[in-house]
């Protein structure tokens, strides 16, 4: 069904001309006349291909990853979608509570991670989009793209890792 | 489904004319054979004929009575004239050797 949309208009012009009329000037003139049709047909083909691509993308993880990687990281394909996970919260107390928590210097190699509410499960999201650190992208554009294809009601967070 | 054998220099439009009497059947031929209306056909290949009624019975019958096989497809000369350049030029046709 798809091959029916592959029409070579310059060739069609020649084919529809009787062979004895297929002189260079005649063909060139007719091809010039059909150029607008050919141009419109190219636009139609481009739109059709874009629509087919759009319909191929579903909210499945594998397709969302394909969409994002083809848009932002076509060669390395490093953008991943992972399930939401939650970390243990790290609490800080007042002096009166007498429960000291220590922060270390970089040389001590004992990092203490501070998590956001999303990450400790207080404001849960359904999935994370992990993007490599040095990848340049427009977050608003990526959000618009994801909002277009994700399931309604699913929440997500874009994380740079 | 009925089939038709492609003769030399025939294009899909010729087959539509030969089989259904009108170029209106061109897209039906393209759909059943899953090809483009401008595809080059190879002589000797067998193509399917769509299951539709003959569109122009007068033309169909005239071609059949006169045993005429329409063959207006692309020839090598057409191809050369359209594309041009080395590989498509013919010696003493559009490439002069002196």
């Amino acid at each position: 069904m798809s091959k029916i949309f592959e029409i070579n208009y310059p060739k069609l012009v020649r084919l529809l001309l009787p062979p004895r009329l297929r002189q260079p000037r005649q063909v060139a003139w007719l091809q010039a006349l059909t150029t607008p049709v050919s141009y419109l047909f190219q636009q139609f083909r481009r739109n059709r291909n874009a629509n087919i691509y759009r319909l191929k993308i579903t909210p499945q993880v594998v397709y969302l990853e394909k969409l994002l990687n083809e848009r932002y990281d076509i060669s390395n394909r490093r953008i991943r979608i992972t399930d939401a996970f939650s970390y243990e919260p790290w609490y800080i107390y007042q002096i009166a509570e007498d429960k000291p928590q220590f922060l270390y210097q970089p040389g001590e190699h004992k990092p203490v991670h501070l998590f956001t509410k999303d990450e400790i499960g207080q404001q849960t999201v359904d999935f994370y989009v992990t993007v490599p650190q040095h990848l340049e992208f427009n977050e608003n554009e990526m959000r618009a793209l994801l909002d277009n294809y994700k399931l309604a009601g699913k929440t997500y967070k874009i994380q740079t890792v | 489904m009925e089939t038709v054998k492609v003769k030399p220099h025939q294009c899909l439009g010729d087959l539509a004319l030969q089989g259904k009497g009108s170029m209106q059947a061109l897209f039906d031929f393209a759909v059943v054979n899953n090809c483009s209306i401008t595809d080059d056909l190879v002589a000797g290949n067998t193509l399917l004929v769509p299951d539709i009624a003959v569109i122009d019975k007068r033309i169909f019958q005239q071609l059949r009575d006169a045993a005429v096989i329409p063959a207006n497809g692309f020839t090598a000369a057409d191809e050369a004239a359209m594309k041009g350049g080395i590989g498509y030029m013919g010696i003493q046709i559009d490439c002069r050797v002196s």
Side-chain angles (χ1 to χ4, degrees):
Chain A
M1 191 62 198
S2 60
K3 280 207 82 178
I4 200 167
F5 292 102
E6 290 169 19
I7 299 173
N8 181 345
Y9 270 91
K11 192 172 173 184
L12 185 64
V13 166
R14 292 186 76 89
L15 282 176
L16 292 178
L17 261 182
R20 68 173 181 281
L21 294 180
R22 290 178 194 166
Q23 303 304 323
R25 272 170 72 95
Q26 177 84 343
V27 172
W29 178 64
L30 289 171
Q31 283 179 350
L33 289 182
T34 53
T35 299
V37 180
S38 185
Y39 172 70
L40 285 175
F41 181 70
Q42 279 172 25
Q43 285 191 320
F44 163 75
R45 286 272 318 262
R46 207 169 296 140
N47 184 40
R48 180 174 182 273
N49 290 341
N51 284 339
I52 288 172
Y53 181 77
R54 198 181 140 86
L55 288 172
K56 275 183 185 169
I57 305 292
T58 68
Q60 278 182 286
V61 171
V62 64
Y63 286 108
L64 287 181
E65 281 183 355
K66 170 187 155 74
L67 171 79
L68 292 172
N69 281 315
E70 283 178 1
R71 176 72 185 81
Y72 298 104
D73 195 17
I74 185 77
S75 54
N76 294 322
R77 311 184 80 83
R78 289 166 297 177
I79 299 177
R80 290 278 173 270
I81 289 177
T82 53
D83 284 336
F85 47 86
S86 62
Y87 294 105
E88 282 297 307
W90 192 77
Y91 297 105
I92 300 171
Y93 302 93
Q94 294 189 338
I95 296 173
E97 293 176 279
D98 197 23
K99 290 179 180 174
Q101 293 284 12
F102 298 101
L103 294 173
Y104 303 93
Q105 293 198 337
E108 294 176 277
H109 300 299
K110 290 180 181 175
V112 174
H113 297 285
L114 301 175
F115 301 110
T116 63
K117 281 185 175 178
D118 289 341
E119 288 165 333
I120 60 168
Q122 284 194 6
Q123 285 175 357
T124 53
V125 291
D126 294 304
F127 63 89
Y128 286 96
V129 178
T130 55
V131 183
Q133 206 163 19
H134 302 296
L135 197 72
E136 282 186 20
F137 67 99
N138 182 336
E139 188 168 332
N140 290 332
E141 189 196 359
M142 188 185 275
R143 282 192 174 280
L145 204 61
L146 281 166
D147 289 345
N148 207 4
Y149 290 101
K150 73 176 178 64
L151 280 179
K154 296 285 179 193
T155 54
Y156 61 92
K157 191 175 178 194
I158 297 172
Q159 279 187 327
T160 307
V161 291
Chain B
M1 198 178 272
E2 207 181 325
T3 57
V4 62
K5 205 165 191 178
V6 180
K7 304 283 190 307
H9 299 306
Q10 275 198 312
C11 63
L12 213 59
D14 297 323
L15 293 180
L17 206 62
Q18 184 187 327
K20 300 295 168 189
S22 169
M23 288 289 277
Q24 283 176 37
L26 181 58
F27 279 97
D28 295 298
F29 270 86
V31 169
V32 292
N33 292 296
N34 191 28
C35 64
S36 161
I37 59 170
T38 50
D39 270 358
D40 287 322
L41 303 182
V42 180
N45 277 7
T46 307
L47 294 186
L48 297 170
V49 178
D51 283 333
I52 55 168
V54 174
I55 295 170
D56 191 330
K57 286 182 181 161
R58 193 174 61 88
I59 301 280
F60 176 76
Q61 203 54 49
Q62 273 185 355
L63 289 176
R64 183 155 285 195
D65 290 346
V68 171
I69 295 167
N72 298 303
F74 246 34
T75 59
D78 284 328
E79 185 91 357
M82 196 171 94
K83 292 183 173 165
I86 291 172
Y88 292 99
M89 291 191 292
I91 291 175
Q92 298 303 349
I93 300 169
D94 51 5
C95 172
R96 195 153 293 167
V97 181
S98 56

